[in-house]
Amino acid sequence: MRFLLRLASLVALAAAVIAGTIDSIQSVAASAVIMTPMSDAWQDVSPDTLTSLQSALSYYIHPRFYAFIFQWLMLQPAFAVFLVIALLLWMIGYKKPQVSGRFIA
């Protein structure tokens, strides 16, 4: 299970790097800071899954959850959202080093 979490973390980190690279290229081309919101990035990749997730969240969870948290999350920069997801998955899948080691008493 840790392997899958770390693999998902790696995929999210790669998506964050790709989104950050795209934003930096657009920023240089426009001579202004451009950060793509998560909703626009998701809409470009797969609009059907975005609409189905929106309808499922508003129907099954609670409409206020969709109104406050999900819409706030969709307004954040895509690279930042992917970085936070990568960090959380890595922290969940982290394996602590053993205490017994070379300098054990």
Side-chain angles (χ1 to χ4, degrees), residues 68-87:
F68 293 121
I69 297 174
F70 189 72
Q71 286 183 353
W72 176 82
L73 184 69
M74 290 294 119
L75 293 175
Q76 302 308 313
F79 74 92
V81 172
F82 283 124
L83 279 176
V84 169
I85 291 171
L87 177 65

Side-chain angles (χ1 to χ4, degrees), residues 4 45 52 57:
L4 293 176
V45 174
S52 64
L57 281 177

Side-chain angles (χ1 to χ4, degrees), residues 15-75:
V17 168
I18 291 170
T21 304
I22 290 171
D23 286 348
S24 65
I25 290 170
Q26 289 177 349
S27 295
V28 168
S31 297
V33 177
I34 296 176
M35 289 188 271
T36 306
M38 184 68 185
S39 60
D40 291 350
W42 199 340
Q43 186 73 25
D44 291 342
V45 174
S46 178
D48 296 334
T49 59
L50 179 62
T51 56
S52 64
L53 180 67
Q54 288 173 344
S55 64
L57 281 177
S58 63
Y59 180 75
Y60 289 112
I61 305 292
H62 199 277
R64 286 188 181 173
F65 175 79
Y66 171 73
F68 293 121
I69 297 174
F70 189 72
Q71 286 183 353
W72 176 82
L73 184 69
M74 290 294 119
L75 293 175

